[in-house]
Amino acid sequence: MNFKSQLDEVEVFSKVAQAAKNLRLETYVVGGFVRDLVLGRPCKDIDFTCVGSGIKLAEEVAKQFDYHVPLSVFKNFGTAMLKVEEYELEFVGARKESYRLESRKPIVEDGTLQEDLERRDFTINAMAISLNEENFGDLIDPFRGLADIKKKIIRTPLDASITFSDDPLRMLRAVRFASQLDFDIEPDTFFALADNASRLEIISSERIIVELNKIILVKKPSYGFKLLFAGKLLQEFFPEMVALQGVDSVDDKSHKDNFYHTLQVLDNVCQVSNDLYLRWAAILHDIAKPATKRFNTKVGWTFHGHEDKGARMVPEIFRRLKLPMDERMKYVQKLVRLHLRPIALIKDEVTDSALRRLLFDAGDAIDDLMKLCRADVTSKNNKKVKRYLENFDKVDEKLLEVEEKDQMRNFQPPISGEEVMQVFNLEPSKIVGEIKEEIKEAILEGRIHNNPIEARELMIKIAKKKGLTPVNNP
Ligand code: ATP
Ligand code: MG
């Protein structure tokens, strides 16, 4: 197989070939770019390997572009990077690697192209295209990566168990590539996952989360999670999610399997949003179900309070998985805490104050909350699904009405703490907070409208009851 015509379309390849010729360096395109070229996926990162110094080659390539391209050299790693238009070119000498037990960092020596391809993780990532004059554009495919792409399988070039034990991150990459490309994992490679799962202990959480987030960001992430679970990898870093799996029965009454339910909710959310953290909210929405599960002879299985307990579990899970401990965590926590509230608003006789409270509590997250609630409908009975979704349409309408009327979204109390302090000549203190809180409650309950005039009137009344009088004329 030859890719000359495809390479001729991008100037970069002729320049690298010229540089390689000038230096008499055997040079190849390798790795992800070759895989994506075969798959017809666009790819802007191009890795080049030469048998010799990658840094010298990169410098010679920069010269071919009259040095109009930024070059960065990483002497310690023996690599160099060039930016050419939208492409990032990386140059490295062919290398051979050997591993020690306690680290995923190999001992690196110079090697041949064959040795360089051998150290790569999967056959589909272990192909090269020649940039050398005698066979320019030829595919070099010692491990039959091309055939594996056709068969849609992920397979390691060498023994899978050794490959994974050497660098356990590759196990997560296997699931990640399977998820992104919708490939199967070849059986020997798959069985090596469970055998080496405990090796994940030498991988940092920071690296794990990068791969996990890539799995979560695919079109249908349930597949990746099922592979992580079946390959015993999820058990190593996300036991809370594993605990969702399984069904208990008492007196012939059983509850649904919350692991598969969660995955269905996740897939549903993915159809309407690409947002990583809304996806995380879907993953975590029922996370406290195992901890709150009770059996009651009258009503069967219950999970009372799982939304609050789940929200309380979010920070710990984020901290451990090295997810961001900022407003994104707060957002996920909010969605988990509120995920049952819209259901309570389905009833016809629901009050405006209940709607106002949800708008106030959800703030900007209200639209995402409604997406999560719709995604949470996973009944197999289509009629039921239709009815539930129509109910949520009604909730949407009611929310919209109240929002238009009262401007509740991102509600800022019309009286600030400073104003309270100024009017009554107070220092910052508890009483200021109490007055503000009472005004907020009155607005949410609908006793006064959401405007400064009514709020001021009420402020004076509340303060009076507390024995305060305004210092200057309000
Ligand atoms: P993507 O850029 O979409 O993540 P990629 O295949 O380009 O996919 P990179 O992490 O950029 O992945 O790595 C480039 C190449 O380096 C891979 O195609 C593979 O050949 C090799 N590689 C990367 N990580 C490993 C690893 N942990 N073990 C073995 N080979 C690896
Ligand atoms: Mg890449």
Side-chain angles (χ1 to χ4, degrees):
M1 190 140 189
N2 186 285
F3 289 92
K4 180 176 184 318
S5 61
Q6 284 97 319
L7 297 190
D8 284 346
E9 281 170 28
V10 184
E11 192 195 15
V12 161
F13 295 108
S14 58
K15 295 277 199 226
V16 177
Q18 185 59 49
K21 190 179 166 191
N22 295 351
L23 299 180
R24 290 180 225 280
L25 275 177
E26 217 187 291
T27 299
Y28 304 87
V29 192
V30 289
F33 183 87
V34 179
R35 177 199 68 220
D36 288 344
L37 188 66
V38 172
L39 284 164
R41 293 163 99 215
C43 178
K44 302 290 173 203
D45 294 342
I46 315 178
D47 294 322
F48 298 91
T49 293
C50 63
V51 184
S53 163
I55 294 174
K56 282 203 183 119
L57 176 59
E59 284 164 352
E60 181 67 18
V61 175
K63 191 170 152 197
Q64 301 301 309
F65 283 101
D66 296 326
Y67 300 103
H68 290 318
V69 285
L71 169 72
S72 346
V73 173
F74 307 96
K75 268 225 164 76
N76 294 345
F77 296 97
T79 65
M81 285 236 317
L82 271 179
K83 272 201 77 84
V84 181
E85 293 159 10
E86 73 270 39
Y87 294 100
E88 269 194 13
L89 317 183
E90 189 166 330
F91 297 85
V92 58
R95 51 175 65 174
K96 184 178 155 179
E97 294 182 342
S98 43
Y99 286 83
R100 292 149 298 164
L101 197 62
E102 68 289 355
S103 164
R104 61 178 291 266
K105 293 208 180 64
I107 299 163
V108 177
E109 301 160 80
D110 292 343
T112 61
L113 176 70
Q114 173 76 22
E115 283 164 337
D116 190 278
L117 294 178
E118 262 173 25
R119 71 174 175 89
R120 291 174 184 271
D121 48 5
F122 305 110
T123 59
I124 62 168
N125 290 342
M127 299 183 285
I129 296 176
S130 167
L131 296 180
N132 308 305
E133 228 174 3
E134 64 279 10
N135 58 353
F136 185 88
D138 271 7
L139 183 73
I140 295 146
D141 181 17
F143 304 105
R144 302 165 117 324
L146 191 63
D148 287 347
I149 287 182
K150 293 216 173 95
K151 286 190 272 184
K152 297 177 95 163
I153 59 174
I154 304 295
R155 186 166 61 89
T156 56
L158 303 178
D159 180 88
S161 224
I162 296 171
T163 304
F164 290 156
S165 175
D166 280 350
D167 177 2
L169 187 69
R170 292 168 179 161
M171 297 192 277
L172 296 177
R173 286 173 58 91
V175 175
R176 192 252 289 185
F177 285 117
S179 307
Q180 287 178 328
L181 303 174
D182 196 19
F183 278 24
D184 282 330
I185 300 179
E186 173 270 337
D188 284 341
T189 304
F190 178 77
F191 291 125
L193 294 177
D195 289 345
N196 292 282
S198 66
R199 290 284 292 151
L200 276 183
E201 70 186 6
I202 67 164
I203 304 295
S204 71
S205 305
E206 286 83 354
R207 292 212 171 248
I208 293 179
I209 199 65
V210 168
E211 293 300 325
L212 186 61
N213 280 340
K214 285 184 183 178
I215 293 169
I216 293 170
L217 282 170
V218 309
K219 215 168 128 208
K220 198 171 172 226
S222 62
Y223 175 50
F225 276 100
K226 286 174 192 170
L227 288 173
L228 290 174
F229 181 71
K232 303 267 189 288
L233 301 173
L234 200 60
Q235 290 77 341
E236 294 295 319
F237 59 87
F238 202 174
E240 297 90 342
M241 192 169 181
V242 174
L244 290 170
Q245 191 270 338
V247 175
D248 261 342
S249 299
V250 175
D251 303 340
D252 278 348
K253 282 191 198 152
S254 46
H255 60 80
K256 67 184 162 204
D257 185 309
N258 287 304
F259 181 68
Y260 295 101
H261 164 70
T262 292
L263 293 184
Q264 179 67 57
V265 176
L266 175 60
D267 283 350
N268 289 348
V269 146
C270 293
Q271 293 201 353
V272 294
S273 167
N274 292 324
D275 186 88
L276 177 63
Y277 294 95
L278 177 53
R279 293 176 178 209
W280 266 106
I283 293 166
L284 295 174
H285 81 285
D286 276 348
I287 201 72
K289 274 198 170 170
T292 54
K293 181 159 87 174
R294 302 279 179 277
F295 185 79
N296 175 311
T297 39
K298 288 200 191 97
V299 294
W301 293 99
T302 66
F303 304 92
H304 288 310
H306 74 273
E307 68 283 18
D308 281 322
K309 186 162 177 68
R312 288 198 300 275
M313 288 167 72
V314 169
E316 169 60 18
I317 293 173
F318 263 56
R319 193 195 55 72
R320 200 191 63 236
L321 293 178
K322 297 286 189 292
L323 284 161
M325 295 298 288
D326 57 14
E327 73 285 353
R328 289 167 286 189
M329 185 275 282
K330 291 254 153 70
Y331 158 89
V332 171
Q333 198 174 27
K334 182 187 267 188
L335 290 188
V336 173
R337 180 178 298 116
L338 298 179
H339 83 269
L340 298 178
R341 289 268 293 277
I343 297 169
L345 301 181
I346 285 172
K347 296 181 299 241
D348 285 333
E349 67 276 18
V350 61
T351 60
D352 277 7
S353 87
L355 295 160
R356 272 196 293 268
R357 275 185 191 281
L358 182 62
L359 283 170
F360 176 73
D361 290 340
D364 262 347
I366 187 72
D367 295 334
D368 287 347
L369 179 66
M370 293 308 292
K371 283 182 188 163
L372 177 61
C373 284
R374 286 190 161 85
D376 200 7
V377 179
T378 62
S379 165
K380 295 229 166 29
N381 178 337
N382 284 336
K383 264 200 192 139
K384 253 193 192 168
V385 171
K386 188 160 172 276
R387 198 174 70 235
Y388 289 169
L389 294 182
E390 282 168 0
N391 284 338
F392 283 130
D393 290 343
K394 278 192 215 140
V395 172
D396 268 343
E397 277 167 33
K398 289 186 213 165
L399 286 171
L400 205 63
E401 267 170 41
V402 171
E403 202 192 333
E404 277 174 1
K405 213 164 50 188
D406 303 342
Q407 274 124 40
M408 284 318 293
R409 191 190 289 217
N410 288 327
F411 165 66
Q412 292 293 332
I415 303 267
S416 69
E418 282 82 62
E419 195 173 348
V420 178
M421 290 191 284
Q422 207 188 2
V423 173
F424 301 102
N425 193 22
L426 294 169
E427 294 295 308
S429 53
K430 207 171 122 204
I431 199 162
V432 178
E434 286 169 2
I435 294 173
K436 271 179 65 186
E437 182 63 23
E438 275 195 49
I439 297 170
K440 184 195 94 184
E441 277 299 309
I443 294 171
L444 289 177
E445 281 304 318
R447 290 197 300 273
I448 66 167
H449 290 109
N450 183 15
N451 68 48
I453 297 173
E454 290 184 42
R456 247 180 115 80
E457 251 171 46
L458 181 65
M459 170 180 75
I460 305 284
K461 259 193 226 156
I462 299 167
K464 216 172 194 172
K465 265 195 257 155
K466 293 183 184 286
L468 298 171
T469 40
V471 284
N472 46 9
N473 236 348

